[in-house]
């Protein structure tokens, strides 16, 4: 009888360990799902910041376009907006950008490569480094920038309108 009680005690002890391990695994699974869903959310927030930055850059480019007399081809001088530039006597690197009649930046060529170059000129980063896929819609005259979470920035070349679309 004592052997049976001893065996039952050991069995309860093992059962307690199994239940503890299962609870820990369940907790880790829940935390893992929450973590990975938040990682996607962080990526979407990062692309949302790019949307805000693109809108601000377009506004600054249009302001420069007005002050320079509405040229068809305009040099972008980002240092003119920086009052704390380290050396104002140094010759800045100017990027020439094509402008529409309405004052919106245009790609040099109306294709995917032109849209990638426009992204780099306006935001100062290469689309490939940010894992952004570029597309050009000929019928809508739109450059689309898609991140790895399927969020999308659509820049209409005719109107200058920027739309931020998410998969939600």
């Amino acid at each position: 009888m004592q052997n049976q009680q001893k065996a039952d005690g050991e069995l309860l002890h093992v059962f307690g360990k199994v239940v503890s391990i299962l609870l820990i695994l369940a907790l880790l699974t829940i935390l893992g799902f929450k973590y990975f869903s938040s990682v996607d959310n962080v990526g979407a927030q990062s692309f949302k910041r790019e949307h805000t930055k693109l809108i601000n850059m377009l506004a600054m480019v249009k302001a420069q376009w007005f002050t320079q007399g509405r040229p068809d081809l305009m040099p972008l001088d980002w240092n003119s907006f920086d009052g704390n530039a380290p050396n104002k006597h140094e010759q800045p690197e100017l990027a020439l950008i094509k402008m529409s009649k309405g004052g919106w930046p245009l790609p040099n060529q109306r294709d995917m490569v032109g849209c990638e170059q426009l992204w780099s000129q306006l935001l100062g980063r290469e689309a490939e480094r940010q894992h952004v896929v570029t597309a050009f819609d000929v019928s809508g005259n739109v450059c689309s920038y898609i991140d790895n979470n399927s969020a999308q920035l659509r820049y209409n070349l005719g109107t200058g309108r920027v739309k931020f679309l998410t998969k939600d």
Side-chain angles (χ1 to χ4, degrees):
M1 189 71 136
Q2 246 180 358
N3 287 340
Q4 181 65 35
Q5 287 177 346
K6 188 176 181 184
D8 286 346
E10 288 177 7
L11 190 58
L12 282 174
H13 185 68
V14 169
F15 181 70
K17 286 183 179 180
V18 168
V19 168
S20 298
I21 289 173
L22 288 175
L23 286 174
I24 290 172
L25 284 176
L27 182 64
L28 288 175
T29 302
I30 291 169
L31 290 175
F33 279 115
K34 288 190 181 272
Y35 170 77
F36 287 113
S37 67
S38 68
V39 167
D40 289 342
N41 193 16
V42 168
Q45 292 299 321
S46 173
F47 206 59
K48 180 71 173 162
R49 274 193 299 273
E50 294 298 327
H51 169 247
T52 304
K53 186 176 178 183
L54 180 61
I55 289 173
N56 290 335
M57 290 299 165
L58 291 171
M60 288 194 307
V61 168
K62 190 161 187 172
Q64 281 187 4
W65 179 73
F66 275 124
T67 60
Q68 293 179 13
R70 301 180 180 190
D72 292 334
L73 195 62
M74 186 180 81
L76 293 180
D77 181 11
W78 297 122
N79 293 330
S80 67
F81 291 103
D82 186 11
N84 300 321
N87 189 354
K88 294 184 180 183
H89 302 292
E90 192 175 295
Q91 185 67 14
E93 289 184 31
L94 299 178
L96 288 177
I97 193 165
K98 249 170 71 171
M99 300 298 289
S100 71
K101 297 292 181 202
W104 303 111
L106 297 173
N108 291 330
Q109 49 200 56
R110 293 189 184 243
D111 61 4
M112 187 179 76
V113 174
C115 289
E116 280 181 22
Q117 289 172 345
L118 186 63
W119 177 274
S120 296
Q121 288 173 324
L122 293 175
L123 298 177
R125 297 183 193 108
E126 293 177 12
E128 290 175 3
R129 282 189 172 172
Q130 291 185 285
H131 305 290
V132 173
V133 177
T134 307
F136 180 70
D137 179 11
V138 179
S139 63
N141 203 25
V142 172
C143 284
S144 296
Y145 305 101
I146 306 159
D147 79 342
N148 53 0
N149 293 324
S150 299
Q152 205 177 133
L153 283 176
R154 298 183 55 120
Y155 172 54
N156 187 312
L157 300 175
T159 63
R161 178 175 287 162
V162 178
K163 290 182 184 177
F164 180 67
L165 306 170
T166 61
K167 62 182 176 182
D168 296 331

